[in-house]
Amino acid sequence: MSILKQKSWIRHGYVHVVNNDYTKWKMYAIGGSASPTILSQGNRFLAPDDEKSKEVTKYENAPESEWKKWNWKSEGDRFLNGAFFISSSGSNSSSNAAFFTSSSGSSSSSSAFDISAKESSLVPKLTANAGALKCKKGSAC
């Protein structure tokens, strides 16, 4: 998926980004504001050639002293062409269940941590047929 305008942007809540293929974004691939919790697993990030656009993450509207308390974590992701993910340090837990528990102690209503990510090397095969449906008027999709 070549990302020009639409990117993963999370304001609040808990998001598990699993087995996606991010290719040549303009500014960032995953962004957030308002203290979201993000677990990125088994994704493939192919950075653009522009040296200023290699960072996967974008922490918006918060100084580093604030976003460092958020929970953003990359696990098993594949980074190509200089791509890199800046994790926050809000949670040092190796358990994804603990990772998806908020600082108030309440857990996300979803069971995102129950989703098993495939190895990032499989992402091209997993996403080979992804994208918009090519439907024609009068025909079944």
Side-chain angles (χ1 to χ4, degrees):
M1 143 180 28
S2 182
I3 304 171
L4 297 177
K5 293 184 180 176
Q6 297 296 324
K7 301 164 270 292
S8 297
W9 186 264
I10 302 95
R11 290 203 60 210
H12 300 282
Y14 306 85
V15 178
H16 191 187
V17 183
V18 184
N19 291 130
N20 291 284
D21 192 6
Y22 290 94
T23 306
K24 300 183 179 180
W25 53 88
K26 291 281 185 180
M27 295 173 57
Y28 58 89
I30 299 173
S33 59
S35 191
T37 294
I38 301 170
L39 175 58
S40 175
Q41 282 188 309
N43 298 291
R44 177 181 175 264
F45 297 99
L46 174 61
D49 292 330
D50 181 355
E51 289 300 319
K52 294 181 264 178
S53 299
K54 303 287 186 182
E55 186 175 345
V56 169
T57 50
K58 171 100 171 138
Y59 297 88
E60 188 70 32
N61 301 325
E64 183 175 349
S65 61
E66 183 179 329
W67 65 253
K68 279 290 193 181
K69 298 174 191 170
W70 300 357
N71 291 325
W72 291 27
K73 177 178 166 182
S74 170
E75 191 174 88
D77 289 326
R78 187 173 191 192
F79 301 99
L80 305 169
N81 198 34
F84 63 96
F85 186 109
I86 297 181
S87 296
S88 64
S89 56
S91 173
N92 293 323
S93 173
S94 60
S95 160
N96 290 336
F99 182 79
F100 274 98
T101 301
S102 71
S103 57
S104 66
S106 65
S107 176
S108 165
S109 61
S110 74
S111 55
F113 47 83
D114 290 336
I115 299 170
S116 297
K118 302 292 183 193
E119 290 184 31
S120 59
S121 62
L122 297 175
V123 168
K125 185 181 270 187
L126 292 170
T127 61
N129 296 311
L133 295 174
K134 295 180 176 113
C135 300
K136 294 183 181 179
K137 189 174 181 177
S139 299
C141 282

